[in-house]
Amino acid sequence: MKVIVLAGKAGSGKNYLGEKLVYYAQKNHLRAVLTEYSKYLKLYAKELLSYDAQKDEKLRKFLQDIGSFVREKIDASFLVKRMLDDFYVYETCCDVVVISDARLIQEIEALKQSAYEVISIKVVQSLFDSNLSLDEKKHVTELELDDYQNFDYIIENKSKEEIELFARNFFERRE
């Protein structure tokens, strides 16, 4: 099973690229799924706040805080371990897993140490300023990967068309 892990700051285009990678994987007759580390944090938000985190970015502070809590108080590898457990299920029916929201070095490196073929892609959108507050922009999940050098690809998100072209060509290059 191939794992594609996407990284980048809030609003960089990770989710859009992830959707397009899954679409073109499926067009190339590969079974693909789009997932995210934050799905567990969003589940907590839904249960604890009776709120759908998928539909409201105002919850970013809550998601950042609950993510920090589980990493500090439960296990630094909490989200990574859960994702690796999910891979046992995914590999029964998937050729490609796309993770659309790596934010920490560990979330990439732990996967690269696994038995799976892992490709890491950083999405950069230099002209875009997210709607995050100053505190949210300073959070470790927005800053830790700034100096990380071990990405397989770094792409600049200049337009949706360029992201789509990268996704379309990605599976043709790798066949």
Side-chain angles (χ1 to χ4, degrees), residues 128-143:
F128 176 77
D129 186 29
S130 69
N131 293 330
L132 301 184
S133 71
L134 187 56
D135 283 343
E136 292 167 343
K137 288 178 183 179
K138 290 181 179 179
H139 193 268
V140 65
T141 57
E142 289 296 320
L143 300 175

Side-chain angles (χ1 to χ4, degrees), residues 31-108:
R31 300 167 301 162
V33 64
L34 179 64
T35 190
E36 51 190 9
Y37 283 112
S38 63
K39 67 185 173 189
Y40 302 108
L41 306 178
K42 290 174 181 178
L43 178 60
Y44 290 135
K46 183 177 181 180
E47 292 176 346
L48 297 172
L49 304 176
S50 300
Y51 209 77
D52 188 350
Q54 294 281 69
K55 294 183 180 177
D56 195 338
E57 284 297 314
K58 294 176 192 170
L59 286 183
R60 182 164 308 272
K61 173 109 174 71
F62 174 83
L63 297 174
Q64 288 177 336
D65 290 346
I66 199 80
S68 293
F69 175 82
V70 298
R71 285 188 294 274
E72 290 169 15
K73 302 292 185 186
I74 300 172
D75 185 342
S77 301
F78 180 84
L79 297 175
V80 172
K81 287 178 179 178
R82 287 199 171 202
M83 186 63 70
L84 288 168
D85 286 343
D86 288 353
F87 286 178
Y88 291 117
V89 175
Y90 294 150
E91 69 186 356
T92 65
C93 58
C94 292
D95 303 304
V96 177
V97 173
V98 178
I99 303 171
S100 66
D101 68 344
R103 297 305 193 104
L104 302 173
I105 292 169
Q106 176 188 21
E107 294 174 348
I108 298 169

